[in-house]
Amino acid sequence: MSDLQRDEINHLMDLTDRFAEVGRRPIPKVPALRGKTIAWLFYEDSTRTRISFETAAKRLSADTVNFSIGSSSVKKGESLRDTTETIAAMGVDGIVVRHYASGAPHQVVNWVGGVSVVNAGDGLHQHPTQALLDLYTARQHLGDLDGVHIAIIGDIRHSRVARSNIEGFVTMGARVTIVGPRTLLPVEVDTLPVEVSHNVDAVLGDIDICYMLRLQIERHHDVVIPTLREFHNEYGLTERRADQLHDQALIMHPGPVNRGVELASAVLERPNVVITEQVNNGVAVRMAVLFALLGNPVTEAVA
């Protein structure tokens, strides 16, 4: 997200508006990327991101190549470099990379010159298309994000979504507060352009977006919380806490939700929960990203 300026984000948001309209058509498909081939290189499990990218590519009429780690030469010890260079040599135009190592997509760029590379999540580093779809969803409801106050709550230390959203929302003029126990805040917290709180109840009444993060237990190598119940009691969005939000405040989450941990199940039924909208908007946002990288700017994108 640090590579994107405000006008570039606005351009992607405007493109997303046009592709969202495509998604509402009886046949949601345009020939914008006909003749292009996109490969998926996912070294981590994914439901929302992978299906969203695949749907986006198909709606743009691109050809896709599904790369399965479990049935590939990675199981024989093939390196990331050899794998990506092999895929690039087959003539693909783009590679969407999701990897457990921070910085992996950047390395792929260096190895496959001339092929567009999209970061679909790398380690604890970044998840830029998630941030873009979150910005788009917020803009749909709140309009201009200048002065909007977002609280990002929970497991921030292990969240690439949090890092991308902090950069994205700050770039768009929003005020960002991160909330969590000290053990779940990033070590570089003092260098981030955010306010910090350890008390959820102290911030809820003053925010426009309550962004709950998934507790990423699979990335915890030390004991960072006593129990899941205690975490929910101290930092979860209970019904009582949801009542403290003002009527127009959005409740967001990148998914998948751990019910009863980050959010109480009853809270998910509230009208200001926009988690399903985030998923829906992810397809249009990723269409915009793929078209911005692979499309012909002279060609009408949504004709």
Side-chain angles (χ1 to χ4, degrees), residues 91-125:
V92 303
D93 302 286
I95 301 176
V96 180
V97 182
R98 186 181 185 95
H99 202 277
Y100 49 80
S102 298
H106 179 74
Q107 289 298 326
V108 171
V109 171
N110 294 330
W111 297 328
V112 295
V115 176
S116 294
V117 178
V118 181
N119 182 356
D122 63 322
L124 304 182
H125 180 225

Side-chain angles (χ1 to χ4, degrees), residues 3 15 63 135 137 144 150 205 248 258 273 284:
D3 292 332
L15 266 181
D63 296 316
L135 288 168
T137 304
D144 191 338
I150 176 174
Q248 285 73 45
N258 294 311
V273 174

Side-chain angles (χ1 to χ4, degrees), residues 23 135 146 194 247 253 278:
L135 288 168
D146 261 320
V194 299
D247 291 341
H253 190 292
Q278 290 171 262

